[in-house]
Amino acid sequence: MITRDLLLDILKNIAAVIKDNRQFLTDLDAAIGDGDHGINMNKGFKAVEEKLDTVRDKDCGTILKTTAMTLISTVGGASGPLYGTAFLKAAMVVNGKMEIDNEDIVKMFDEGIQGIIMRGKAKRGEKTMLDALIPAYEELMNSLKDGSTIAEAFNKACKAAYDGVEYTKTIRATKGRASYLGDRSIGHQDPGATSSYLIIKTVADTLNR
Amino acid sequence: MITRDLLLDILKNIAAVIKDNRQFLTDLDAAIGDGDHGINMNKGFKAVEEKLDTVRDKDCGTILKTTAMTLISTVGGASGPLYGTAFLKAAMVVNGKMEIDNEDIVKMFDEGIQGIIMRGKAKRGEKTMLDALIPAYEELMNSLKDGSTIAEAFNKACKAAYDGVEYTKTIRATKGRASYLGDRSIGHQDPGATSSYLIIKTVADTLNR
Amino acid sequence: MKKIINNPENVVNEMLEGIVKAHPEYVKRLEGFNVLVRANGPSKGKVALVSGGGSGHEPSHGGFVGEGMLDGAVAGEVFTSPTPDQVFEAVKAVDGGAGVLLVIKNYTGDVMNFEMAGELAKADGIEVDSVIVNDDVAVENSTWTTGRRGIAGTIFIHKIAGAAAEKGMGLPEVKRIAEKVIANVRSMGMSLTPCTVPAAGKPGFELAEDEVEVGLGIHGEPGTHREKIKSAAEITKDLMDKIFADIDLTQDDEVAVLINGLGGTPLMELYIVNNEVDKLLEDKGIVIYKTIVGNYMTSLEMAGFSISILKLDDELKELLNYKADTPAFKQL
Amino acid sequence: MKKIINNPENVVNEMLEGIVKAHPEYVKRLEGFNVLVRANGPSKGKVALVSGGGSGHEPSHGGFVGEGMLDGAVAGEVFTSPTPDQVFEAVKAVDGGAGVLLVIKNYTGDVMNFEMAGELAKADGIEVDSVIVNDDVAVENSTWTTGRRGIAGTIFIHKIAGAAAEKGMGLPEVKRIAEKVIANVRSMGMSLTPCTVPAAGKPGFELAEDEVEVGLGIHGEPGTHREKIKSAAEITKDLMDKIFADIDLTQDDEVAVLINGLGGTPLMELYIVNNEVDKLLEDKGIVIYKTIVGNYMTSLEMAGFSISILKLDDELKELLNYKADTPAFKQL
Ligand SMILES: Nc1ncnc2c1ncn2[C@@H]1O[C@H](COP(=O)(O)OP(=O)(O)O)[C@@H](O)[C@H]1O
Ligand SMILES: Nc1ncnc2c1ncn2[C@@H]1O[C@H](COP(=O)(O)OP(=O)(O)O)[C@@H](O)[C@H]1O
Ligand SMILES: [Mg+2]
Ligand SMILES: [Mg+2]
Ligand SMILES: [Mg+2]
Ligand SMILES: [Mg+2]
């Protein structure tokens, strides 16, 4: 169960983690993209943090929709519409709700991923954020089925996301800007998968505090 | 007394010396000008050398006039018109002559310098080729008066030209491109004075062989 | 990082201000947005063209706003696609009732952001359609990538579809023309030096003193491969061979040529390249109908160039020749 | 040296070929000479304008040959004044019977070579006159130097005297107009990087990563001083202060502004500078009548810019607005 205050905490913590990793994500993107992923994401989550004040006392759906719209209108590039769409789809699951239960969480995660796939037309194995998100989602779902708490489940999801990031090092990009590099993208980890991992890790860390 | 063949030799040797010093002159010009003096001069004297074949059996005036016109139409920049005019004025002194006597030499040198002054409106002490040429001319004239041979006189003139080049290091340029540098031109030797010294030195060396 | 800027975070804003102040007779800025539109727009009853993308490609895209070319240009952060709300605002501002064509370069981010904007505009009752420019032959086909990128050939879409719109053609016709240009234009580029995004503060990649990057995009993203620097003749031949392999050109075909500088390469070198391109086309008996040489789709201060070849027919020729009057491209 | 060239000794020739091949509707080359003249010239009964100088300043000077600007442009070796025979050939080719005006930038070499050409032309019975452009306020007065240099302000002379000639004014009138522009235009520049003359193979000077050269000429010759790099606002203010100190400008005066890139600086930065220039002029109540931003008088791939301010009166305004149609400057 995630309360509204916890949700707000999570979002604030994500903003802090993205800020700390601004240069790291940018450097990853410079190697196989155009070197702006950390800059864009930081701009977006900084704006989200500022916006959160205006929706503190709203429902979880509104908070997440605001997050989504802010990301869409500030991040730009590929990751803006993708993360934005993901948060928008997730927001719709908890429309009007003041708390998020475990079932919601699985549904939100699933809807978010479907949103990314709809918008970006990528699939697993193309060296994108999906390679962190999909394994994390599967792990989360299975752990909850097996009776894990939500905090434990996110820990496992985080581990799966990490492995997903590692896996992106071994494959060639066929979507996004890195795809232009052909085989030269092999050996580098995907910046978007990395930011997805960081986001999941922040959820896990916040839940485990 | 300088015969036509000797004159042709001198010109050929000047071309060789300028070629050898192409980079040196260019570097000097890069420091206080625009870094092309060696390139320009080499282009000019290379063209002169090629042209000489067509006037081998002509009089000294024609040979020097051809040299002048070739310099004017190939060197460009400031030094092209200046050296071109100098050779043109010198050529006029020996129009139709097959040999050049000492009196001619003094006259040629004087006329050449006057040509440079007329064209460039500089005077001694402005950090130009004149600071090598005028002392060299004065030394040549005095040495000949004192009974030196032409070869000896050119040796002394060469020494005076060298001192002139050294002197240019101590002064501020007020003519030519180096003048824009203001006091920053002090400490650098003038490229045009240096090429003038090299030309006089080559005359001296050729006469002394 | 050595740049003539103030705050790296504020370059796009200050640049847009500088453009408006330089060319008030051509463009105005939409208050609060990174959008330039025609000073005297919207043009009632005319199809409007909106283009854009990340900043750092100047004079693209704001420099092409004006008669006979664009109606609006949306500027993202440097090398980052603009967001949907900005594009949406541009669409609303330029719509003259005859619909809006979005000219999108084929980059994942641009496509997604512009398409989201299109969805917003349609929901708002504005007729919107879009074309996706993908002229860069350096990129492999779409089995392995998101498809070819849009690079300098985009200028021809702006010019020719812009003329079609100015002549009063309807949205489906303007789109057909734009797609014809896209189908017939191929480009490829190379660079001698990287460039530095102001907010990043350091170059996107590094190149040795004797190395060049071939087939790179316009955002400083690495190209297809690196090699030792070659002569202008050899480099040009390599790029033209890739272009020739991808476009059906036979004797007596007519083409337009664009030798595009990436921002840091002097015109002298672009003209030397043009001299080589001309020879290669002449060898094949291909007729050069029009040549454009200069910095049109740049990557900040990157040294390098791209070649674009557009195969023409009578319709495209007439539109290419149509009057244009914009800050960066004028044709009398 | 990293350049897209073939033989360094042949860059000027290949570049001129590339220009003619790109713009055959505007220019043709005088066979055997490094001279570009109007494709449809000479214009009978019109005063002809000939300009030129070393190469490496592209689009100056060949890019301004065409209706409303130059009739002929003479290209020397890179950064080296052309020789008198070349200039003479240009004068002969463009003379339409109404005389020829030579536009000379105030460099010792240019002045001497062009004047020798003028002497040759006069001896040939052609009416020739000349003006000497000296807009660069970085240089001290002529007690200490050969006088101020001619830099980017030259573009205004080409544009305005070119319009005067095109309108049919006689040689003395065209010269008077050119001299009025010269009397009223002031410029100053700065650079972030040196440039490399192809035949030299290495940069003309060196600058540390945080250093800039202020007040330099357009041939890579060192400037008045070096300093640590500053913000665009500070750099612009420094240059404008020098310009203001040298030209009498008061409230409500009208000016034209040229923000000229030196070849390696992206338009983005030039527009940021323009934003600053605009503020400074506005602060003084000076009215900006027209602004030009771009690479017009370059120094190969040098990064940097110059600002030129031209004080206008009604006569100059009308001529500045006159139609121009050349490869590098068009006005509808
Ligand atoms: N079609 C896609 N589907 C899912 N993720 C994608 C897609 N295209 C790109 N991405 C992700 O976006 C990341 C790049 O984001 P960012 O650098 O912000 O955008 P841009 O490539 O426009 O500069 C990539 O690392 C990748 O994970
Ligand atoms: N007015 C002048 N009178 C005499 N010599 C001059 C004058 N101006 C320049 N010079 C000489 O010309 C030299 C520079 O020649 P060069 O580099 O070939 O020409 P540019 O300065 O046009 O590039 C200077 O070093 C100086 O000696
Ligand atoms: Mg990126
Ligand atoms: Mg020089
Ligand atoms: Mg990007
Ligand atoms: Mg020179």
Side-chain angles (χ1 to χ4, degrees):
Chain A
M1 181 76 74
I2 298 180
T3 62
R4 186 178 62 185
D5 283 353
L6 191 53
L7 175 65
L8 288 166
D9 265 6
I10 289 173
L11 291 170
K12 208 187 70 199
N13 291 344
I14 292 174
V17 168
I18 293 293
K19 187 177 174 201
D20 288 347
N21 287 278
R22 179 180 181 273
Q23 193 60 46
F24 174 54
L25 293 172
T26 295
D27 289 347
L28 292 177
D29 195 33
I32 55 171
D34 58 353
D36 59 2
H37 188 56
I39 301 170
N40 302 345
M41 291 293 284
N42 182 49
K43 205 169 145 227
F45 277 99
K46 196 176 153 220
V48 166
E49 203 186 346
E50 285 160 8
K51 263 284 167 62
L52 285 182
D53 273 343
T54 64
V55 289
R56 296 219 152 272
D57 45 7
K58 295 278 158 59
D59 65 286
C60 294
T62 303
I63 291 171
L64 285 166
K65 193 175 169 210
T66 303
T67 302
M69 296 313 293
T70 307
L71 290 177
I72 290 172
S73 68
T74 53
V75 177
S79 48
L82 292 169
Y83 280 121
T85 303
F87 276 92
L88 200 60
K89 295 284 178 180
M92 270 135 87
V93 174
V94 290
N95 226 341
K97 288 202 174 182
M98 300 307 270
E99 288 178 342
I100 307 175
D101 62 28
N102 289 7
E103 209 175 305
D104 290 334
I105 291 174
V106 174
K107 185 116 196 283
M108 286 166 71
F109 212 139
D110 184 29
E111 286 285 315
I113 289 174
Q114 293 316 317
I116 291 173
I117 291 173
M118 182 270 292
R119 183 62 63 209
K121 297 177 187 68
K123 54 184 190 303
R124 206 168 156 171
E126 298 202 281
K127 194 168 185 142
T128 71
M129 48 181 71
L130 292 173
D131 293 319
L133 293 172
I134 295 176
Y137 164 70
E138 289 173 355
E139 189 64 31
L140 182 88
M141 203 172 49
N142 291 334
S143 307
L144 289 176
K145 257 188 210 143
D146 293 352
S148 296
T149 66
I150 186 73
E152 282 164 13
F154 258 101
N155 274 343
K156 288 188 187 148
C158 174
K159 173 76 182 56
Y162 183 86
D163 292 343
V165 171
E166 289 299 308
Y167 168 65
T168 64
K169 289 187 190 165
T170 67
I171 56 174
R172 172 183 167 148
T174 50
K175 280 284 174 329
R177 217 176 279 280
S179 69
Y180 307 134
L181 276 180
D183 287 339
R184 283 207 283 171
S185 72
I186 297 172
H188 296 277
Q189 79 194 60
D190 180 59
T194 310
S195 58
S196 285
Y197 157 72
L198 290 171
I199 290 171
I200 294 166
K201 182 169 190 315
T202 310
V203 179
D205 289 350
T206 312
L207 293 177
N208 280 285
R209 263 209 315 255
Chain B
M1 181 75 74
I2 298 180
T3 64
R4 186 177 64 182
D5 283 351
L6 192 51
L7 175 65
L8 288 166
D9 264 5
I10 288 172
L11 290 170
K12 207 186 70 196
N13 292 344
I14 291 174
V17 168
I18 293 292
K19 187 175 173 200
D20 288 346
N21 287 278
R22 177 181 181 277
Q23 194 58 47
F24 174 55
L25 293 171
T26 295
D27 290 346
L28 291 178
D29 196 33
I32 54 170
D34 57 353
D36 61 2
H37 188 55
I39 301 170
N40 301 347
M41 291 293 284
N42 183 48
K43 204 168 147 227
F45 275 99
K46 198 176 152 218
V48 166
E49 203 185 346
E50 285 159 8
K51 262 283 168 61
L52 284 181
D53 272 343
T54 65
V55 289
R56 296 219 152 272
D57 45 7
K58 297 275 160 58
D59 66 287
C60 293
T62 303
I63 291 171
L64 285 167
K65 191 172 169 217
T66 303
T67 301
M69 295 313 292
T70 306
L71 291 177
I72 290 172
S73 68
T74 54
V75 177
S79 48
L82 291 169
Y83 279 123
T85 304
F87 276 93
L88 200 60
K89 295 285 177 181
M92 271 135 85
V93 175
V94 288
N95 227 342
K97 287 202 175 184
M98 300 309 270
E99 287 179 343
I100 307 174
D101 62 28
N102 289 5
E103 210 174 304
D104 292 333
I105 289 174
V106 173
K107 185 113 195 285
M108 285 165 73
F109 213 139
D110 185 27
E111 287 284 318
I113 288 173
Q114 294 315 318
I116 290 173
I117 291 172
M118 181 270 293
R119 185 57 66 208
K121 295 175 190 69
K123 55 186 190 301
R124 207 168 157 172
E126 299 201 282
K127 196 168 184 138
T128 71
M129 48 180 72
L130 291 174
D131 293 319
L133 292 172
I134 295 175
Y137 164 70
E138 289 174 356
E139 188 65 32
L140 182 88
M141 201 173 49
N142 290 335
S143 307
L144 288 177
K145 257 192 211 138
D146 293 352
S148 294
T149 67
I150 186 73
E152 282 164 11
F154 258 102
N155 274 342
K156 288 188 188 150
C158 174
K159 175 77 182 57
Y162 183 86
D163 292 343
V165 171
E166 289 297 311
Y167 168 65
T168 64
K169 290 186 189 167
T170 67
I171 57 173
R172 173 184 166 147
T174 49
K175 279 283 176 328
R177 217 175 280 278
S179 69
Y180 306 133
L181 277 181
D183 286 339
R184 283 207 283 172
S185 71
I186 296 173
H188 296 278
Q189 79 193 59
D190 180 60
T194 310
S195 60
S196 284
Y197 156 71
L198 290 172
I199 290 170
I200 294 166
K201 181 169 192 312
T202 309
V203 178
D205 289 349
T206 311
L207 294 177
N208 280 286
R209 263 210 312 257
Chain C
M1 177 175 59
K2 219 173 187 181
K3 287 182 187 284
I4 309 156
I5 58 174
N6 295 306
N7 180 354
E9 310 286 335
N10 207 23
V11 289
V12 174
N13 178 54
E14 290 178 30
M15 170 186 79
L16 292 172
E17 288 300 301
I19 294 177
V20 171
K21 285 170 180 168
H23 313 296
E25 67 279 30
Y26 289 101
V27 293
K28 62 185 180 215
R29 183 172 178 178
L30 291 189
E31 184 83 29
F33 291 89
N34 290 345
V35 174
L36 298 179
V37 297
R38 291 195 196 179
N40 57 359
S43 315
K44 198 129 192 68
K46 184 183 105 49
V47 170
L49 254 69
V50 170
S51 187
S55 292
H57 306 305
E58 292 69 31
S60 293
H61 301 84
F64 302 122
V65 173
E67 194 187 337
M69 292 183 83
L70 304 179
D71 295 85
V74 194
E77 289 301 309
V78 178
F79 291 171
T80 297
S81 160
T83 56
D85 53 316
Q86 301 270 344
V87 181
F88 179 36
E89 215 59 38
V91 169
K92 281 192 288 187
V94 301
D95 181 35
V100 179
L101 185 71
L102 303 177
V103 180
I104 312 174
K105 286 187 289 310
N106 191 28
Y107 294 92
T108 308
D110 290 65
V111 172
M112 291 190 300
N113 283 292
F114 275 76
E115 282 183 349
M116 284 174 87
E119 290 161 20
L120 292 171
K122 274 180 205 154
D124 225 42
I126 303 176
E127 203 189 342
V128 187
D129 211 335
S130 63
V131 294
I132 297 185
V133 186
N134 62 348
D135 54 321
D136 185 358
V137 300
V139 171
E140 287 181 58
N141 69 44
S142 51
T143 337
W144 291 106
T145 66
T146 37
R148 294 193 319 235
R149 295 175 291 221
I151 57 173
T154 309
I155 308 306
F156 285 125
I157 289 89
H158 294 169
K159 173 70 194 75
I160 292 175
E166 206 73 53
K167 286 186 75 171
M169 292 185 185
L171 184 52
E173 273 296 277
V174 174
K175 180 177 174 170
R176 178 185 63 79
I177 298 278
E179 290 192 324
K180 195 202 264 190
V181 179
I182 293 171
N184 285 286
V185 64
R186 296 292 184 283
S187 307
M188 186 157 164
M190 61 80 68
S191 87
L192 302 179
T193 64
C195 62
T196 300
V197 173
K202 60 180 186 195
F205 55 94
E206 271 165 37
L207 279 173
E209 183 48 40
D210 62 347
E211 256 182 355
V212 300
E213 181 92 26
V214 181
L216 80 175
I218 52 170
H219 305 90
E221 62 268 58
T224 53
H225 67 281
R226 281 179 189 193
E227 58 185 35
K228 295 265 172 249
I229 189 165
K230 298 176 179 170
S231 70
E234 290 166 305
I235 296 168
T236 303
K237 181 155 190 327
D238 288 352
L239 300 185
M240 287 296 284
D241 281 347
K242 287 277 267 178
I243 290 174
F244 283 141
D246 207 272
I247 187 170
D248 185 35
L249 280 175
T250 49
Q251 181 140 7
D252 298 331
D253 276 346
E254 290 180 276
V255 296
V257 174
L258 166 62
I259 313 295
N260 174 62
L262 297 183
T265 282
L267 262 184
M268 169 181 276
E269 296 174 35
L270 299 183
Y271 278 117
I272 290 174
V273 168
N274 186 53
N275 190 36
E276 300 297 335
V277 169
D278 190 281
K279 283 191 236 167
L280 295 170
L281 289 170
E282 201 166 285
D283 282 353
K284 289 195 187 291
I286 296 161
V287 181
I288 300 168
Y289 180 75
K290 187 182 178 71
T291 303
I292 304 172
V293 179
N295 293 340
Y296 290 95
M297 180 71 75
T298 61
S299 299
L300 295 169
E301 73 281 9
M302 186 178 285
F305 70 100
S306 64
I307 302 171
S308 300
I309 304 287
L310 168 65
K311 185 173 164 179
L312 294 166
D313 63 12
D314 288 343
E315 187 179 43
L316 296 184
K317 277 185 344 195
E318 195 210 321
L319 293 167
L320 185 57
N321 269 339
Y322 196 81
K323 180 183 169 194
D325 192 13
T326 74
F329 192 94
K330 294 182 178 69
Q331 188 157 289
L332 281 84
Chain D
M1 177 175 58
K2 220 174 186 180
K3 286 183 187 285
I4 309 157
I5 58 172
N6 295 304
N7 180 353
E9 310 287 333
N10 207 22
V11 289
V12 174
N13 178 52
E14 290 178 29
M15 171 187 77
L16 292 173
E17 288 300 302
I19 294 177
V20 171
K21 285 171 180 169
H23 313 296
E25 67 279 30
Y26 289 101
V27 292
K28 62 186 181 214
R29 183 172 178 176
L30 290 189
E31 184 85 29
F33 291 90
N34 291 345
V35 174
L36 298 179
V37 297
R38 290 195 196 179
N40 58 359
S43 316
K44 198 129 191 67
K46 184 183 103 49
V47 170
L49 253 69
V50 170
S51 186
S55 292
H57 307 303
E58 293 67 32
S60 292
H61 302 82
F64 302 122
V65 172
E67 193 187 337
M69 292 184 81
L70 302 179
D71 295 86
V74 194
E77 289 302 309
V78 178
F79 291 170
T80 298
S81 161
T83 56
D85 52 318
Q86 301 270 345
V87 181
F88 179 36
E89 213 59 38
V91 169
K92 281 193 288 187
V94 301
D95 180 37
V100 179
L101 184 71
L102 303 177
V103 180
I104 312 174
K105 285 185 290 309
N106 191 28
Y107 295 92
T108 309
D110 289 65
V111 172
M112 291 191 300
N113 283 292
F114 276 77
E115 281 181 350
M116 284 173 85
E119 290 161 19
L120 292 171
K122 275 179 205 153
D124 224 42
I126 303 177
E127 202 189 342
V128 187
D129 210 335
S130 63
V131 293
I132 297 186
V133 186
N134 62 347
D135 54 321
D136 186 359
V137 299
V139 171
E140 288 180 59
N141 69 44
S142 51
T143 337
W144 291 105
T145 66
T146 36
R148 293 194 318 237
R149 294 175 291 220
I151 58 173
T154 309
I155 308 306
F156 285 123
I157 288 87
H158 293 168
K159 173 68 194 75
I160 292 175
E166 206 72 52
K167 286 186 76 172
M169 293 185 184
L171 185 53
E173 273 296 276
V174 175
K175 181 177 174 172
R176 179 184 63 77
I177 298 279
E179 291 191 324
K180 194 202 265 189
V181 179
I182 294 169
N184 285 286
V185 64
R186 296 291 185 281
S187 308
M188 185 157 165
M190 61 81 66
S191 87
L192 302 179
T193 64
C195 62
T196 301
V197 174
K202 61 181 182 191
F205 55 94
E206 270 165 38
L207 277 173
E209 183 48 40
D210 62 347
E211 256 183 354
V212 300
E213 182 92 25
V214 180
L216 81 175
I218 53 170
H219 304 90
E221 62 267 57
T224 51
H225 68 282
R226 280 179 190 193
E227 59 185 36
K228 296 268 173 243
I229 188 165
K230 297 177 179 170
S231 71
E234 289 166 305
I235 296 168
T236 303
K237 182 157 190 325
D238 288 352
L239 300 186
M240 286 296 284
D241 281 348
K242 286 278 267 179
I243 290 173
F244 283 139
D246 207 272
I247 186 169
D248 184 33
L249 280 174
T250 49
Q251 183 140 4
D252 297 331
D253 277 347
E254 289 181 278
V255 297
V257 174
L258 167 61
I259 312 295
N260 174 61
L262 296 183
T265 282
L267 262 184
M268 170 182 277
E269 296 175 35
L270 299 183
Y271 279 118
I272 289 175
V273 167
N274 186 53
N275 189 36
E276 300 297 335
V277 168
D278 190 280
K279 284 190 234 165
L280 294 170
L281 289 170
E282 201 165 287
D283 283 352
K284 289 196 187 289
I286 296 161
V287 180
I288 300 169
Y289 180 75
K290 189 183 176 71
T291 303
I292 304 171
V293 178
N295 293 339
Y296 290 95
M297 180 71 76
T298 62
S299 298
L300 295 169
E301 74 280 9
M302 186 178 284
F305 70 101
S306 64
I307 302 170
S308 300
I309 304 288
L310 169 64
K311 185 173 165 179
L312 295 166
D313 63 12
D314 288 343
E315 185 179 44
L316 295 185
K317 275 180 356 191
E318 194 209 325
L319 293 166
L320 184 57
N321 269 338
Y322 196 80
K323 181 183 169 195
D325 192 13
T326 73
F329 192 94
K330 296 182 176 67
Q331 188 157 287
L332 280 84

